Amino acid sequence: MFTPRMIFWELTDRCNLACIHCRGGDHRAPAIEKELSTVEAKSFIDAVSMVYKPVIVLTGGEPLYRDDVFEIASHIRNRGLRAALATNGTLVNSEIAERIREAGITRVSISIDGAESGFHDDFRGVPGSFLGALDGARALRDAGVEFQFNMTVTRGNSNQMPAVFQLAEKVGAKGLHFFMLVPVGCGVELAEAEMLSPDEYEEILDRYWHLSQETALETKATCAPHYARINSFNNRRYAQDRDSGPSGIPRLKTSVPGAVNTGGSRPPSLGCLAGTAVCFISHIGEVRPCGYFNVAAGNIKDTPFREIWENSPLFSDLREPGKLKGKCGFCEYKTTCGGCRARAFQVTGDFLAEEPFCRYVPPGFEGP
């Protein structure tokens, strides 16, 4: 049975920034009346908590624009679920940080796309957003709220990866999660200039693996399902090197048990989790496989969430690795990677098509 482990919930489409890669386009002039009401929000939480025990990530837009965000977070906690918050950090001060703590939010993610103001402010579309995000992080730290940095990696900032690791450690973040750019929303126009090529993806994910071995930070590569293959390969390679005795090899902080799995259902902890272990709820109630996958499986205003999660044909297709096409369908990593279904859909119009930004060619695959 596939169980939702994380639900990313776009509380609002409103935002104070104008990020050039935003999945939803311009969030500064939304139709507020279309957002789920407080009553609808609580009803959704009640329905989910009776069946599943996911982490609910309150996101946006900027979720702190919702006047009832802390009421909603408290309701999540009171129903025995864990609430997290994804914010740009610029609206977080000491008072807001304390309210976040009191509401029972256990982890906050802050978007940091560089180690200095230049790239971050340009990427986020508002001068001062970098320093504002860091001030927000310090306010959370001082309030005793656990936080992580999320970095969207593009061609323009990939060289800042080591410096962002150092910044996260210095400020007191618990983790650093990397998000590989998905060309949707505003990102479609950005893609040609900033989208990484398949070769660049491979090189950057390998570099990220090495950086992750030399830090105490919690690390995770998101929107990069082929990282499962790179992680598995590097773990095996460096374990063999260690056995043979050379010096200067990584300490193998992380591992992915069973990363090569040629049969059965896709493990819920690896690869593309869209529709298998995670989903996205839009501010108007649409249920999508992920925030970058602009196809709705249903709407919680019309259909119970459980029915959508368990019976949607869209989710059913995503849970069948045997339906993958091209080299993804042929690949020995299809149950641990699966390719990014949002990228496949955006580039080809077919969410079951092969991952367009993966350079790996499975042994014996000869193409179409």
Side-chain angles (χ1 to χ4, degrees):
M1 178 181 176
F2 290 86
T3 301
R5 290 166 43 205
M6 298 186 74
I7 296 176
F8 293 87
W9 186 2
E10 180 188 60
L11 286 183
T12 180
D13 202 32
R14 290 171 280 163
C15 190
N16 59 320
L17 301 187
C19 303
I20 61 177
H21 68 301
C22 182
R23 68 171 180 264
D26 190 345
H27 284 199
R28 292 170 293 177
I32 299 174
E33 67 275 6
K34 293 184 179 180
E35 295 177 359
L36 295 175
S37 68
T38 305
V39 171
E40 289 173 322
K42 289 184 175 181
S43 178
F44 167 65
I45 294 165
D46 292 343
V48 169
S49 67
M50 288 190 292
V51 186
Y52 309 113
K53 299 298 178 184
V55 176
I56 297 182
V57 182
L58 305 176
T59 182
E62 172 51 59
L64 292 176
Y65 263 43
R66 284 276 300 229
D67 294 335
D68 57 356
V69 60
F70 301 117
E71 183 179 353
I72 290 172
S74 295
H75 196 73
I76 293 171
R77 177 195 60 193
N78 293 339
R79 290 297 179 269
L81 305 180
R82 180 183 171 191
L85 182 75
T87 173
N88 62 47
T90 62
L91 302 181
V92 179
N93 53 28
S94 58
E95 178 184 353
I96 294 297
E98 184 61 25
R99 293 190 69 185
I100 288 172
R101 187 189 65 79
E102 291 175 349
I105 293 171
T106 57
R107 173 73 71 97
V108 176
S109 65
I110 294 179
S111 300
I112 294 289
D113 299 309
E116 55 189 20
S117 297
F119 183 89
H120 180 97
D121 286 3
D122 288 344
F123 202 60
R124 296 286 160 180
V126 175
S129 57
F130 177 76
L131 295 178
L134 290 185
D135 286 344
R138 295 186 183 100
L140 291 167
R141 179 195 62 196
D142 293 345
V145 178
E146 198 173 85
F147 69 94
Q148 68 186 51
F149 284 168
N150 289 351
M151 179 182 181
T152 299
V153 182
T154 73
R155 185 171 288 160
N157 68 350
S158 61
N159 64 331
Q160 297 189 42
M161 288 166 54
V164 174
F165 265 96
Q166 294 174 3
L167 177 64
E169 293 170 341
K170 179 180 179 181
V171 177
K174 295 296 183 180
L176 175 57
H177 292 198
F178 276 31
F179 288 70
M180 307 305 282
L181 180 65
V182 180
V184 296
C186 294
V188 173
E189 299 176 3
L190 177 70
E192 185 174 349
E194 292 290 350
M195 199 70 191
L196 300 163
S197 70
D199 285 347
E200 289 170 320
Y201 260 89
E202 195 84 3
E203 187 275 329
I204 285 172
L205 289 174
D206 183 69
R207 197 190 325 164
Y208 177 67
W209 185 89
H210 283 82
L211 288 168
S212 74
Q213 303 305 307
E214 300 302 328
T215 181
L217 292 170
E218 169 198 290
T219 58
K220 182 180 180 182
T222 301
C223 300
H226 31 307
Y227 185 70
R229 169 177 52 79
I230 292 170
N231 188 69
S232 176
F233 174 79
N234 282 340
N235 280 335
R236 293 196 308 269
R237 177 159 63 103
Y238 285 104
Q240 291 170 357
D241 288 345
R242 173 162 291 174
D243 291 341
S244 61
S247 60
I249 60 176
R251 26 185 196 92
L252 298 180
K253 184 186 73 174
T254 59
S255 63
V256 178
V260 178
N261 181 350
T262 58
S265 299
R266 183 173 302 151
S269 60
L270 301 172
C272 181
L273 304 181
T276 63
V278 306
C279 68
F280 174 86
I281 311 295
S282 78
H283 66 288
I284 61 173
E286 290 181 337
V287 182
R288 305 176 193 166
C290 79
Y292 301 104
F293 197 137
N294 195 21
V295 179
N299 193 304
I300 59 174
K301 291 183 178 181
D302 308 318
T303 308
F305 174 77
R306 180 178 185 178
E307 182 175 337
I308 297 172
W309 176 262
E310 295 184 2
N311 299 320
S312 161
L314 173 61
F315 286 174
S316 177
D317 284 344
L318 291 169
R319 295 165 186 171
E320 292 291 340
K323 291 188 176 182
L324 296 176
K325 302 174 183 177
K327 65 181 182 181
C328 282
F330 194 84
C331 186
E332 71 270 32
Y333 292 93
K334 67 182 178 182
T335 59
T336 55
C337 168
C340 177
R341 299 299 98 214
R343 286 195 195 97
F345 180 73
Q346 180 63 40
V347 173
T348 71
D350 182 355
F351 62 84
L352 295 174
E354 66 183 41
E355 158 72 66
F357 293 98
C358 177
R359 77 174 186 185
Y360 181 71
V361 178
F365 180 71
E366 299 180 355

